[in-house]
């Protein structure tokens, strides 16, 4: 295994790139205090796996418990602040907007709160919710926010978090924009993802197949190491400010 090109080399790649795409995962928000998925879940939720909670079937079976989990995560995220990695990405996007495209698997709003423009949110937004079943005429005026989960007082339709659950399709427009970004970029910077969930992880292989240089920022090895041109074994908040400074 050859040693990975170092941060200074990657800085040169980024300087010479016409288009740079960025794909972030839960590791991006770890230093903001937001737990990742496949690290051990802390506290009350350690008895569950996200795959047992983040599905439509789980929600229909136990709506209050799953809703509570999302309320718990919303509280964690609203108490969190963007870290130096989020801020470094937002700064470089603001300096050179047309050159950078940010795609995230994260449902927290930390990239947006750091000032990143045009965030492509592949898995939706934790802070938003929508109707579980198709909205009926009665739902528009029937929302009862006092129940948990909130529901339509007329037909019982439940609200659900506006996130993509396992087994559900990703928002078509977001996926199309992400595919276009990774097919046309010269460098793909991948930060804080284990690369085990598709189709998001497939974007990295698409970039590689289209000849992009793939750079991983992750303190641990991941499924994506096989297509990486550089692995920066550092955390996001420590690596990105140095990697992206002018
Ligand atoms: N900086 C960078 N990377 C980090 C840090 C950090 N401070 N801390 C942890 N990591 C890395 C871990 O080594 C791991 O490879 O971040 C990765 C987090 O992996 P996961 O917990 O699997 O999160 P992610 O890859 O984003 O999961 C993808 O799966 O559960 C679904 O929809 C959910 O979007 C999520 C998707």
């Amino acid at each position: 295994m050859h040693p990975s090109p170092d941060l200074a080399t990657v800085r040169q790649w980024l300087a010479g790139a016409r288009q740079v795409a960025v794909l972030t995962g839960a590791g991006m928000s770890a230093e903001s205090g937001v737990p990742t998925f496949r690290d051990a879940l802390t506290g009350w939720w350690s008895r569950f796996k996200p795959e047992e909670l983040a599905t439509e079937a789980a929600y229909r079976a136990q709506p209050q418990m799953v809703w509570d989990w999302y309320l718990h995560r919303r509280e964690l995220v609203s108490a969190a602040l963007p870290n130096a990695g989020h801020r470094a990405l937002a700064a470089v996007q603001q300096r050179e907007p047309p050159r950078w495209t940010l795609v995230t698997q994260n449902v927290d709003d930390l990239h947006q709160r750091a000032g990143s423009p045009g965030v492509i949110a592949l898995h939706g937004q934790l802070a938003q919710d929508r109707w579980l079943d198709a909205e009926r005429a009665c739902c528009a005026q029937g929302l009862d926010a006092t129940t948990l989960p909130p529901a339509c007082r007329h037909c019982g339709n439940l609200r659900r978090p506006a996130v993509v659950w396992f087994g559900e399709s990703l928002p078509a427009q977001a996926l199309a924009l992400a595919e276009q970004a990774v097919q046309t970029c010269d460098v793909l910077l991948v930060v804080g993802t284990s690369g085990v969930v598709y189709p998001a992880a497939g974007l990295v292989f698409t970039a590689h197949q289209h000849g992009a240089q793939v750079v991983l920022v992750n303190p641990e090895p991941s499924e994506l190491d096989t297509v990486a041109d550089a692995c920066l074994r550092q955390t996001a908040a420590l690596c990105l400010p140095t990697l992206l400074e002018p």
Side-chain angles (χ1 to χ4, degrees):
M1 178 68 184
H2 300 295
S4 166
D6 64 7
L7 184 140
T9 304
V10 174
R11 276 178 60 83
Q12 289 168 1
W13 296 353
L14 291 171
R18 276 177 313 103
Q19 290 294 329
V20 182
V22 185
L23 173 67
T24 63
M28 182 77 230
S29 300
E31 287 152 290
S32 296
V34 179
T36 61
F37 285 91
R38 288 162 190 84
D39 296 341
L41 281 182
T42 52
W44 154 247
W45 302 108
S46 57
R47 289 186 291 145
F48 299 92
K49 285 202 300 257
E51 289 81 349
E52 292 170 348
L53 292 169
T55 64
E56 183 178 333
Y59 192 58
R60 289 187 184 279
Q62 303 188 82
Q64 183 159 358
M65 185 194 72
V66 177
W67 183 262
D68 282 351
W69 183 49
Y70 279 95
L71 285 185
H72 172 64
R73 290 177 61 197
R74 282 179 177 169
E75 285 158 13
L76 276 180
V77 167
S78 58
L81 293 174
N83 61 54
H86 293 106
R87 294 196 300 271
L89 271 175
V92 76
Q93 283 183 277
Q94 288 165 9
R95 284 199 302 273
E96 312 158 4
R99 212 159 73 93
W100 292 73
T101 305
L102 174 58
V103 181
T104 189
Q105 300 172 87
N106 299 339
V107 295
D108 64 50
D109 58 351
L110 293 174
H111 282 305
Q112 293 89 335
R113 283 162 54 193
S116 278
V119 178
I120 299 171
L122 289 177
H123 293 163
Q125 303 264 0
L126 183 63
Q128 296 166 11
D129 53 17
R130 60 182 175 86
W131 293 109
L132 177 62
D133 293 314
E135 184 172 356
R136 305 175 185 96
C138 58
C139 299
Q141 306 304 327
L143 179 61
D144 178 355
T146 64
T147 59
L148 285 179
C152 172
R153 65 171 62 87
H154 305 301
C155 69
N157 197 1
L158 298 178
R159 298 294 284 175
R160 56 160 284 179
V163 298
V164 177
W165 279 334
F166 288 98
E168 293 185 326
S169 305
L170 273 58
Q173 187 187 17
L175 187 54
L177 288 171
E179 289 281 3
Q180 182 186 18
V182 297
Q183 289 171 11
T184 55
C185 69
D186 302 301
V187 177
L188 172 64
L189 184 59
V190 184
V191 186
T193 183
S194 57
V196 299
V197 172
Y198 285 74
L203 295 168
V204 182
F205 296 84
T206 301
H208 174 69
Q209 286 151 13
H210 280 75
Q213 290 170 304
V214 173
V215 179
L216 306 183
V217 176
N218 191 333
E220 302 294 330
S222 76
E223 298 287 319
L224 304 171
D225 289 15
T226 54
V227 291
D229 297 286
C231 294
L232 301 179
R233 289 283 179 245
Q234 290 182 311
T235 67
L238 290 178
C239 179
L240 295 181
T242 307
L243 182 66
L244 302 178
E245 65 186 1

